[in-house]
Every structure is written in C-alpha cells, then in structure tokens.
C-alpha cells in the first residue's frame, strides 16, 4: 500500500448550524496529483483551510505525513507549501522582497528565491512591484512562495481561478511537472472537471460538504463515460441499420445516441450508414458534464443507477427527473 | 523564531511610509514648540520659564504627547495590520510553520520599536529645538527621554486594544475610529477620574504619581495583550 500524504477522518466543520464540511474522509497517496473537485460552496476551501490549520475542525482528524495536524502543526507545515484561493502578496514590494519575507521565516538559503522565480518564469519581472502584475503573474508568484521551502506536499486552492486560457495552461503545465521533477505530491482544487481531468491522477469529488466520489482519474473517466451522437438525414431508418450492425442506440432529438461503443464499431457503423445512403451530418462524442455527474452521483451514489440515468449533455429530460430532484 | 518573524515584518514595512509617520510625528511635535517659542520667545524664555527654560520647553511639549502617542498607536497599528489585511495575506502568513502567538508578538514588537524610535526622535528633536533657541547649560537628558517614554508606557493599554482589534478585525474602520476618538478624549485626561486608563498618560505628563500610572499602564497592557494573543491564536482565519 502506498503511503498516504493526507488523510482525514470524519472531518467536520459547521457554520451557523449548517455543515460546510461533513464527515469528510480524504486519502491522498504519495506522488499523486490529487484533484479536489466540487461546485462553489461545496466545502473545498473550508477543507483546505483545515488542512493548513487556518481554521479548526469541529470534529474529526487530520493526518499529514502520518502525523496529527493538531499536535505537530509546525513540523508538518514546514514540509507543506500552499496557495489558498486568490493569491496573497504584498503589493508594495517586488517579487524578490515578497519571497524574502517568507524566506526569512522558513530560513532557507537565499538562492532558493532565484530558483523558484525561475521555476515559475518570473525572473524577468522579479524587481517590479507586485501591484503592477497581472493576475496570472500574481498567481505564479503565489506558487513560487509555496515552493520556496522545498515542500513535499503542495496544496493549491483554485490556482487557475480567474486566469485566461494561456495563464491556465501555464499553471497547469507547472503543476504537472511537480510530481515528475521534484517528487512533490499535489492537492489541487477546482470546480472545473475539465481542468482537473487534464492534470490530476486521482480525484475526490465533494458536494455539500460530503465526499461523493474518491478514486483514480481513469476510474472517474470510466464512470463518467461518453456517448457518441450521430446526426443523420433519416434517424428512424438509421436505427434499423444500426441494429443490423449489432448496436442499440436510443433516439434523442433526431440523433442516434450510442453508449459504450468502441472505435471499430463506430467505423463499421458509419460505413454501413453511408452504404445505406444516409447523409451523415455529425459524429460527435459527448462527455457527461460535471453537473450531470454530480446529479447522478448525489442522486443515488451507485454506479449502476448512474449509468441508468445517463443523459445527454444538453440536459434532455429523459430519465433525468429523479436524480435532479434528489440532488436538490 | 520571533527574530525571524520580526525580520520579515520589518521588510514588509518597506515602502509603506510607516517610518515617515514615526519621523513626522516626533519631529512635528518639536517643530510645533519651535514655532511656539519662536513666536513668543521673550514672554516664554525671559518671563514664564526664565528660571528653567529647558523645563519650560519640555513642559510645553509634554501637553501634546498623550494625544500624539494615542494617534501614533492607532496609525502605526493600522498600517502594520493593513500590510496583511489588504490582500488577506493572513492565510499565507499563518500557513507558514510559525506559532500564531509569535506572529502576534512580532507585530507588537514592530509597533513598539517604531514607538520607541519616535520617543528617541522626540528627545533628539526637542533637544535640537532647545539648542537652537539658545538654551545653554547642561542638556536635561533624562527629562528629554522620559518626555515621550513615560506617557508611552502609561498609554500601553491602548496599544493592547489596538493590536488586538487591528489584527483580528476585517473592518479596520472600527479600531481606527475608536483610536482617533480616544486620542481626542485623552486631551482632557487630567479632568477625568483616574480609574479611566485614558486619563493615565495625561496624569503622567502632569507629574501625578508618574511611576504608579506607568506601572498600571504596563500591568493592564500585559492583561490585554494576553487576552488578544489567546484570541488571535484560536480564531479561524477566513
């Protein structure tokens, strides 16, 4: 069994009676990029603040590096780098001075500052006052601060929030390098499945303070599944052709919708449809969106029902009534 | 650890203009007396304070020390807290491997150093004013130093309150308004009952049982500091 970097047991935090985080059990193995996923207000930031000892849990236990956070907070934090929500910085200071304020506390050698600035690509702007930085640069400075102490665990809360596509890409590439190059375990939170999907190796999904899914990324992708939509001139007749090919689609808004179909089957089907003189307008893959995944997961929690309730991304009403109501 | 925190805190005050407050506050008080004595030189130096011009200068200056100390505490603590509050850098600072109580202590140290610097500057600039005015004789070093120092010690409870409020409150308008209001009221300290800590610096300045009020100031401050530190260490950081 791999060693767990972070483990929480029944972590709970209440705000005015409502449970922001409700009996959460996190398990983050070493060397992973763990995507912590959930809609806004699901309790991600609250959880992360508890992991960093910024707020105290009402009940439950946090173990980082196998040590109790309550007792060994300082020892643990020495090995953790963090970036919580929007970046913290001192606008009147430049990047080097900002890092120096942290370096003095961590007591690491001075050349670490140049190293981390290089890692995040801020060397050129190091002497500029941080007030004038773009959000992306501030976010990178935040990551540089987190890396300064040479952490074994990096906790990043919504690091790509509010960034433009190129900024998101930069941060993502930066995060993906961490486990490979420096052996750092990363916990990264986001409300975007697509974002997590592109960097995380394992994933935990929270909703309303509860962990509703926690597994490896491939397993989530399997669970999310995808459908192939084929739009064609005569869908009714197309259905018959498809059945002759051994595929059993459903008809949805004039499109044939296939589940669990592999590349070979699609190829054969398309050529059969062409042979049958159908005009094929579109062959597209539709992923279940995070919302759909949430709804199905919170609706029942079991994989079977999630599959049965599978719907198109457009949110067609077919078979969707039950999980949607249950989620609310 | 506290030394490292303090070194970091000092760096954070760079380019904030905080040291200008120290300089202008202290030198401003002396400049005011330069004006006072300059305009009324004959009356003050040859008549009212003919026997002891140095004592006169110090007495005239001391009337404004309590309000200046209260204002300085409010302003300096407001500025120190603002460094962390502005971009909510608390979550970054407190996620570092540091004890919260030490962070709290370091902020106090930061403000105390600035206040002490202001006291020394006040002594130096007042001495300069006296020399410029042509007061001869030996400089009253001790009186010059205690001119700022005693009222500062008697005002410490205010620093305890400001330290706690500015570092724990989201809305800085509350501590700053309170600080300014207290500064204004402190001018009438001499006519207030001595049970009110607000009256202590003025009582010290007037020479009423100086050491007793200095001691009371330190004792009350120690209590407030302890309570503030405990609260700061336990509170959730949003």
């Amino acid at each position: 069994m791999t060693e767990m970097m972070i483990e929480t047991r029944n972590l709970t935090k209440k705000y005015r009676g409502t449970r922001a985080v409700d009996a959460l059990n996190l398990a983050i193995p070493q060397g992973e990029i763990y995507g912590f996923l959930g809609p806004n207000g699901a309790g991600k930031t609250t959880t992360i603040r508890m992991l960093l000892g910024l707020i105290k849990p009402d009940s439950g236990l946090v173990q980082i590096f196998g040590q109790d956070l309550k007792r060994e907070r300082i020892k643990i934090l020495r090995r953790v780098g963090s970036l919580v929500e929007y970046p913290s910085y001192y606008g009147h200071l430049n990047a080097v001075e900002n890092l120096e304020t942290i370096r003095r506390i961590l007591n690491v050698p001075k050349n670490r500052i140049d190293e981390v600035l290089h890692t995040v690509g801020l060397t050129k702007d190091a002497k500029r006052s941080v007030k004038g930085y773009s959000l992306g640069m501030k976010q990178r400075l935040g990551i540089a601060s987190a890396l300064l102490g040479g952490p074994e665990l990096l906790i990043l809360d919504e690091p790509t929030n509010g960034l433009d596509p190129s900024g998101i890409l930069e941060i993502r590439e930066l995060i993906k390098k961490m486990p490979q190059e420096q052996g750092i375990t990363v916990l990264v939170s986001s409300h975007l499945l697509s974002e997590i999907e592109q960097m995380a190796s394992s994933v935990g999904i929270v909703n309303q303070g509860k962990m509703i899914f926690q597994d490896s990324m491939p397993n989530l992708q399997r669970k999310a599944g995808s459908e192939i939509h084929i739009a064609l001139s005569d869908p009714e007749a197309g259905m018959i052709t498809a059945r002759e090919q051994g595929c059993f689609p459903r008809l949805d808004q004039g499109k044939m919708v296939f589940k669990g179909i592999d590349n070979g089957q699609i190829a054969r089907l398309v050529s059969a449809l062409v042979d049958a003189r159908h005009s094929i307008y579109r062959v597209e893959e539709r992923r279940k969106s995070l919302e759909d995944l949430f709804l199905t997961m919170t609706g029942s929690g079991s994989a079977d029902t999630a599959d049965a309730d599978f719907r198109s991304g457009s949110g067609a009403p077919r078979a969707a009534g039950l999980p949607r109501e249950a989620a609310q | 650890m506290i030394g490292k925190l303090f070194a970091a805190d000092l760096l954070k005050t760079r380019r904030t203009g905080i040291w200008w407050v120290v300089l202008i506050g202290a030198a401003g008080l002396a400049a005011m007396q330069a004006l006072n004595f300059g305009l009324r030189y004959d009356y003050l130096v040859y008549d009212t304070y003919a026997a002891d011009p140095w004592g006169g200068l110090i007495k005239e200056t001391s009337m404004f020390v309590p309000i200046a100390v209260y204002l300085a505490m409010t302003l300096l603590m407001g500025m120190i807290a603002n460094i962390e509050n502005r971009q909510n850098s608390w979550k970054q600072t407190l996620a570092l491997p540091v004890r919260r109580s030490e962070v709290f202590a370091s902020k106090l140290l930061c403000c105390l150093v600035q206040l002490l610097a202001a006291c020394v500057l006040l002594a130096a600039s007042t001495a300069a004013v006296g020399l410029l005015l042509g007061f001869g004789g030996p400089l009253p070093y001790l009186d010059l130093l205690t001119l700022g120092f005693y009222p500062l010690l008697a005002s410490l409870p205010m620093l305890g309150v400001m330290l706690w409020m500015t570092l724990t409150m989201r809305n800085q308008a509350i501590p700053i308004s309170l600080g300014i209001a207290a500064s204004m009221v402190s001018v009438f300290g001499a006519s207030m009952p001595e049970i009110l800590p607000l009256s202590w610096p003025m009582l010290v300045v007037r020479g009423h049982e100086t050491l007793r009020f200095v001691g009371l100031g330190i004792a009350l401050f120690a209590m407030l500091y302890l309570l503030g530190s405990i609260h700061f260490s336990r509170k959730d950081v949003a």
Side-chain angles (χ1 to χ4, degrees):
Chain A
M1 209 185 97
T2 46
E3 194 193 325
M4 288 295 162
M5 292 298 262
I6 302 180
E7 227 178 337
T8 70
R9 238 167 285 152
N10 294 323
L11 196 62
T12 302
K13 180 76 184 178
K14 279 179 262 181
Y15 283 119
R16 287 182 214 92
T18 55
R19 288 162 186 265
V21 174
D22 192 0
L24 199 73
N25 293 304
L26 270 179
I28 303 180
Q30 189 171 15
E32 299 269 331
I33 296 180
Y34 182 95
F36 194 32
L37 201 56
N40 291 329
K44 299 189 297 290
T45 299
T46 307
T47 306
I48 284 175
R49 282 170 197 267
M50 284 193 278
L51 294 180
L52 293 170
L54 290 173
I55 59 181
K56 291 197 172 51
D58 288 318
S59 62
L61 190 74
V62 178
Q63 281 199 323
I64 301 182
F65 310 124
Q67 291 168 315
D68 183 4
L69 180 71
K70 220 155 134 193
R71 249 177 256 146
E72 308 283 349
R73 190 177 71 92
I74 292 179
K75 233 196 248 169
I76 289 169
L77 288 179
R78 183 158 284 287
R79 298 159 66 190
V80 176
S82 65
L83 172 63
V84 181
E85 272 185 316
Y86 44 89
S88 306
Y89 56 89
Y90 305 108
H92 56 284
L93 304 176
N94 65 36
V96 175
E97 289 164 338
N98 262 280
L99 293 169
E100 176 67 15
T101 62
I102 298 168
R103 190 201 68 82
R104 287 188 182 179
I105 292 169
L106 293 175
N107 209 14
V108 291
K110 277 213 157 149
N111 60 9
R112 276 299 291 163
I113 291 181
D114 296 329
E115 282 173 34
V116 294
L117 281 173
H118 179 75
T119 308
V120 301
L122 278 178
T123 310
K124 217 172 60 203
D125 299 287
K127 298 283 181 190
R128 256 176 61 199
S129 152
V130 174
K131 307 190 258 255
Y133 278 21
S134 67
L135 183 61
M137 292 165 79
K138 284 173 187 162
Q139 202 69 290
R140 277 186 281 155
L141 177 62
I143 293 182
S145 315
L147 288 173
L148 193 66
E152 295 159 53
L153 172 67
L154 201 55
I155 297 180
L156 306 172
D157 187 15
E158 306 261 5
T160 56
N161 216 359
L163 298 185
D164 59 18
S166 73
I168 292 177
L169 186 75
E170 276 174 34
I171 302 276
R172 189 197 303 143
E173 292 309 311
L174 203 60
I175 293 171
K176 276 159 83 173
K177 279 195 296 192
M178 298 297 160
Q180 299 156 15
E181 290 180 8
Q182 316 187 38
I184 303 174
T185 306
V186 185
L187 165 63
V188 53
S189 80
S190 177
H191 57 270
L192 300 170
L193 175 63
S194 58
E195 200 47 56
I196 292 297
E197 205 173 358
Q198 291 178 65
M199 52 188 169
S201 50
S202 60
V203 65
I205 301 182
V206 283
N207 190 31
Q208 297 179 348
K210 288 197 176 76
M211 184 69 84
I212 54 178
F213 177 88
Q214 181 165 247
D215 207 334
S216 72
M217 197 69 211
N219 282 346
L220 175 70
Q221 279 161 335
R222 217 162 294 142
K223 187 161 186 169
S226 66
E227 307 173 311
I228 300 294
H229 289 223
I230 298 182
L232 70 173
S233 47
D234 185 355
E236 305 285 344
M239 297 283 277
I240 297 167
T241 314
R243 274 185 211 122
E244 285 164 2
Q245 293 293 320
C247 307
F248 299 94
R250 60 172 216 269
L251 208 55
D252 189 359
Q253 296 178 332
K255 286 179 195 160
M256 297 195 293
V257 179
F258 298 83
K259 266 196 66 192
I261 183 170
D262 65 34
N263 289 345
Q265 277 178 300
I266 296 170
R268 279 193 297 280
L269 180 65
V270 169
S271 89
L273 287 169
V274 172
D275 287 344
R277 301 261 161 203
H278 287 287
S279 301
I280 299 173
Y281 305 135
R282 262 187 189 78
V283 179
E284 54 190 358
E285 186 175 15
R286 287 262 181 102
R287 277 260 158 91
K288 230 202 258 197
S289 71
L290 179 57
E291 186 200 17
D292 292 332
L293 208 62
F294 277 142
L295 292 172
T296 46
M297 280 180 179
T298 50
S300 61
S302 88
D304 294 339
T305 345
D307 284 344
D309 290 335
F310 198 90
R311 299 172 292 125
S312 72
S314 58
R318 191 189 158 287
L322 192 134
R324 190 180 285 277
E325 278 161 19
Q328 285 164 354
Chain B
M1 196 60 223
I2 200 129
K4 293 181 210 158
L5 273 165
F6 181 58
D9 274 335
L10 275 188
L11 177 59
K12 288 176 195 173
T13 62
R14 211 185 264 185
R15 285 197 286 279
T16 53
I18 212 162
W19 290 98
W20 285 106
V21 174
V22 172
L23 182 74
I24 291 170
L29 275 186
M32 220 162 67
Q33 287 316 312
L35 200 68
N36 182 20
F37 276 76
L39 289 174
R40 310 190 287 167
Y41 190 86
D42 289 344
Y43 170 67
L44 288 175
V45 178
Y46 294 128
D47 186 2
T48 318
Y49 302 122
D52 180 13
W54 277 113
L57 177 62
I58 287 168
K59 190 179 165 214
E60 291 281 321
T61 311
S62 68
M63 291 298 130
F64 297 93
V65 170
I67 183 173
V69 169
Y70 274 141
L71 275 177
M73 284 170 172
T74 307
L75 257 165
L76 294 174
M77 263 330 293
M79 290 174 92
I80 291 170
N82 191 37
I83 293 171
E84 306 280 357
N85 284 335
R86 188 187 282 164
Q87 298 300 335
N88 195 13
S89 303
W90 286 117
K91 57 188 161 61
Q92 181 176 288
T93 304
L94 298 179
L96 292 171
V98 291
R99 265 177 225 294
R100 293 239 191 133
S101 56
E102 290 182 336
V103 173
F104 195 73
S106 172
K107 300 288 178 199
L108 166 71
L109 204 60
C110 211
C111 194
L112 266 185
V113 165
Q114 287 154 356
L115 288 168
L116 285 176
C119 280
V120 173
L121 263 171
L122 176 66
S125 48
T126 304
V129 168
L131 291 173
L132 275 174
L133 290 169
F135 300 168
L139 280 174
Y141 292 107
L142 197 65
D143 290 344
L144 281 169
L145 278 173
T146 56
L147 168 65
F149 194 57
Y150 279 161
L152 172 64
L153 290 176
S155 312
L156 278 179
M158 179 70 174
L159 184 59
V161 173
M162 280 296 132
L163 185 70
W164 168 66
M165 285 182 106
T166 55
L167 295 187
T168 54
M169 281 190 165
R170 265 284 167 91
N171 186 356
Q172 292 290 298
I174 297 169
I176 296 204
S177 314
L178 195 84
I180 292 176
S183 314
M184 301 298 172
V185 174
S186 74
V187 175
F188 311 104
S191 41
M192 280 189 279
E194 60 175 56
I195 189 135
L196 284 178
L198 266 183
S199 69
W200 297 349
M202 203 43 126
L203 291 173
V204 163
V205 159
R206 294 276 174 103
H208 297 296
E209 300 172 272
T210 304
L211 289 179
R212 192 179 131 220
F213 290 112
V214 164
L216 277 173
I218 294 172
L220 183 57
F221 166 74
M223 259 170 58
L224 290 167
Y225 173 81
L226 204 68
L227 290 174
S229 180
I230 289 169
H231 175 235
F232 182 79
S233 302
R234 293 194 177 167
K235 86 189 247 315
D236 284 352
V237 180

